[in-house]
Amino acid sequence: PSTAQITALLDAWLSAKQAVLAGKEVPANLEQMARPPLVNEINAQRQANAARGQIQQIDASIRDLSIQSRSGNRIAARVTVRYQDRRLQRDGKEIDSTAPTTLVNSYVFGRDDGVWRLAAFSPAD
């Protein structure tokens, strides 16, 4: 896939993650965007928030993406993301928030049965 296609996949994942953590309907194609451990992680976060009567509003947008390595089944990218979040009670009262910040993360994409999906991410060194 091209850099633009990788950017679109990551953008779709970030949008889906925002929806899930905000308590909205889980996108039907969530499992097509990321491998099971990442999908399970955000579903667990959503359940933990719900148990506390909370939701999380995330605003994350890609500012820059550069491919660091590429092979037939793996792509690693360094991504600059503008990030902000708020934790709210169900009634809308803000509990906590993170000021707008810029994160630099490493994202790894893997190809499974011909489909590229997000496999992992971590803060970049």
Side-chain angles (χ1 to χ4, degrees), residues 24-70:
K24 297 179 181 172
E25 187 173 332
V26 176
N29 62 344
L30 190 62
E31 291 80 17
Q32 295 173 356
M33 291 183 237
R35 288 185 174 165
L38 294 176
V39 172
N40 293 342
E41 181 180 325
I42 66 166
N43 284 329
Q45 286 175 349
R46 176 186 176 126
Q47 290 173 349
N49 288 343
R52 291 189 300 268
Q54 301 173 358
I55 61 167
Q56 189 174 2
Q57 292 180 337
I58 296 174
D59 181 18
S61 57
I62 300 167
R63 297 294 184 218
D64 183 59
L65 184 145
S66 61
I67 303 297
Q68 301 297 298
S69 66
R70 182 186 294 264

Side-chain angles (χ1 to χ4, degrees), residues 82-85 97-102:
R82 182 79 169 148
Y83 180 87
Q84 179 178 3
D85 73 8
S97 66
T98 301
T101 189
T102 300

Side-chain angles (χ1 to χ4, degrees), residues 30 44 63 86 104 112:
L30 190 62
R63 297 294 184 218
R86 298 180 343 145
V104 180
D112 302 316

Side-chain angles (χ1 to χ4, degrees), residues 1 6 14 22 25 37 66 69 77 79-80 113 115:
I6 290 295
L14 293 174
E25 187 173 332
S66 61
S69 66
V79 183
T80 303
D113 297 323
V115 176

